[in-house]
Structure formats: C-alpha cells, structure tokens
Amino acid sequence: MHHNFLFDLDQTLLDFHASEYKALGIVLKANGLSFSDEIYQAFKAYNKSLWLELEKGAITRTELFTRRFLDVFSRCDGDSSQLDPLTVNDDFIRTMSVNGVLMDGALEFVKKVKDGIPDARIYIASNGATINAKGRIASTGLDRYIDGLFVSEDMGVAKPAAEFFDICLRQIGESKESCIMIGDSLSSDMLGAKNAALASVWFMPTGDIEAAVNEYNIDYCASSFDELYEILKRWSADSK
Ligand SMILES: [Mg+2]
C-alpha cells in the first residue's frame, strides 16, 4: 500500500489569482489596452459576481465570458471598439493555461515529499476546467512529481460530493485509509473529505479555526509547507 496524498490545486499548490493577473495583463496589452492593479481587482470582483449569477442559472457561460470582458474594456485606456469580448476571453483562458504560478515553496515541498516519505504518491483533486489545470501544472514543472490528476470537468462531478472521491479511490485502487485530502477550502476540500470519510489537512487555515475543525471533522491544520510536510510524514509513519 502507498500513502496517497490528494492535493487541491488552487491556493494550495498553485496560485490561481497570480495566473489570472498575469494572463489578463498579457492579453490586454497585446490588444493595445492598458492594465493596472485596479483593473485586475475590478475584474476579479465582477467575475465573482457573474459566477454566482451563473450558479443560480441567471446567466449562461457565454454571457459571463462576454460581460466580464465588456466590463474590463470599459475600464481600460485604449480603443476596444473593434474587439470581440469572446475572442479576447478565449485568448485569456489559453494564456492563463500556460502561465501557471506556484505558491511560494510548493515545488520544493512536493520534491521533499517524494524524496522524504517512503511510498508517497501525489494526486491532484481539483474543481475546474481540465485544460486550465493541466496546462498550469505542466508550465510550472509540477507535473514531474504528480502520479495522477482528478479534475471535476472530466469526472462530471465536483468536490465536495462523495462521488468525486469515490472515483478517485477507484482509480487509485487502494483503501480509504491510505488517502488523505489536503486543501485550503472548507466548502469543497474539507467538506468533501468529511463526506467521503477521508482524513484531512486544512492548509492555511483562517477565521474561526476551532469551530471549523469541529464542524468539518478536520484532522490536521498546517500553516506552512514545512508544517504540512511534518504532518504528512507523521501520518504516513503512523498509518503503516
Ligand atoms: Mg483551493
């Protein structure tokens, strides 16, 4: 049996927002428009509100992609009158998928896990688009240390559903007890681990930690990659 570590991707190993920031800057400049921190912050906030609308069924994906770029265009200096928001959106998604940004120390951490913990296997368990996850993983060199990738778009089911983890376990082909879920999100990662009855590590906990630990049956908390490494090493030794 191996020690199977299921890692969330965004804000756990990769910095989604840093990739988004980088890609937006590249795409706007390539189209002759200005870019600034304020433009990114406005994009991020408006995008978030649009995704909530989409979840409620109030708008379509095409409307979301169109509206978020029409809004950006209205904030930029430069002539956007000839630009098609959907084309720019496609460029943005493609640019983001080849511009992964690691969380500080993430690559050294996964290397250390592979070298220092016998029988360690590293899997990614991520909600989102496959091209975005795969491309960013490859562009950061993280792919060399990963034994498998589980992305909700491929699977047709997302965290925190227990079915998501059932599929992971079936493909890994080992017991529940051999797996531990590591992630930053309470609502997808920690709730998912609870639903699937897996051990869990809450990475970079914030807010009322004690209340969350009780509510989601969280086994461990780690505020740095060093702490996370020690937890995984001990957990692996104990679960032999
Ligand atoms: Mg995350």
Side-chain angles (χ1 to χ4, degrees):
M1 201 174 75
H2 296 87
H3 304 298
N4 297 302
F5 304 136
L6 283 173
F7 283 93
D8 167 53
L9 192 60
D10 290 318
Q11 313 318 119
T12 297
L13 294 176
L14 295 187
D15 188 336
F16 181 85
H17 302 301
S19 279
E20 211 176 43
Y21 183 93
K22 202 168 158 185
L24 191 63
I26 291 171
V27 167
L28 292 179
K29 282 178 197 157
N31 283 289
L33 299 177
S34 65
F35 178 64
S36 64
D37 287 354
E38 289 70 32
I39 288 172
Y40 174 66
Q41 291 307 331
F43 170 82
K44 196 173 152 192
Y46 187 53
N47 190 40
K48 193 175 171 188
S49 72
L50 289 173
W51 278 99
L52 292 173
E53 293 288 297
L54 181 77
E55 279 167 23
K56 281 190 263 168
I59 57 168
T60 64
R61 282 176 86 88
T62 307
E63 282 170 329
L64 183 152
F65 294 149
T66 306
R67 282 168 62 179
R68 70 179 182 178
F69 274 97
L70 286 178
D71 182 76
V72 167
F73 294 165
S74 75
R75 297 169 190 279
C76 297
D77 296 332
D79 179 16
S80 57
S81 60
Q82 302 303 311
L83 294 176
D84 171 26
L86 284 178
T87 307
V88 177
N89 182 75
D90 286 349
D91 270 359
F92 168 69
I93 291 174
R94 206 172 29 246
T95 304
M96 194 174 161
S97 75
V98 292
N99 281 283
V101 179
L102 289 156
M103 297 288 282
D104 256 352
L107 200 62
E108 297 71 17
F109 164 75
V110 292
K111 250 185 233 178
K112 201 166 139 189
V113 167
K114 279 291 200 181
D115 294 342
I117 304 180
D119 303 318
R121 288 204 301 201
I122 294 178
Y123 293 92
I124 302 295
S126 174
N127 283 350
T130 310
I131 171 185
N132 203 301
K134 264 194 181 159
R136 285 184 300 133
I137 288 170
S139 71
T140 52
L142 209 53
D143 54 334
R144 280 172 286 155
Y145 304 97
I146 285 171
D147 296 282
L149 179 61
F150 300 105
V151 186
S152 61
E153 186 184 51
D154 274 347
M155 297 155 76
V157 60
K159 299 179 288 184
E163 293 78 12
F164 178 95
F165 296 93
D166 289 344
I167 295 173
C168 298
L169 283 167
R170 250 201 320 274
Q171 293 204 16
I172 291 169
E174 296 191 3
S175 70
K176 254 180 199 197
E177 291 70 32
S178 72
C179 294
I180 186 164
M181 175 70 208
I182 303 111
D184 67 298
S185 160
L186 289 174
S187 59
S188 61
D189 305 322
M190 297 302 101
L191 182 59
K194 184 184 174 183
N195 290 341
L198 293 180
S200 58
V201 187
W202 187 16
F203 187 55
M204 303 293 192
T206 54
D208 189 342
I209 296 173
E210 204 186 316
V213 163
N214 289 327
E215 188 178 343
Y216 297 95
N217 296 345
I218 294 167
D219 296 288
Y220 308 93
C221 291
S223 299
S224 67
F225 281 123
D226 285 343
E227 259 182 60
L228 182 56
Y229 177 77
E230 291 308 321
I231 288 167
L232 295 181
K233 191 166 175 149
R234 205 170 55 234
W235 179 82
S236 299
D238 290 348
S239 64
K240 254 190 179 155

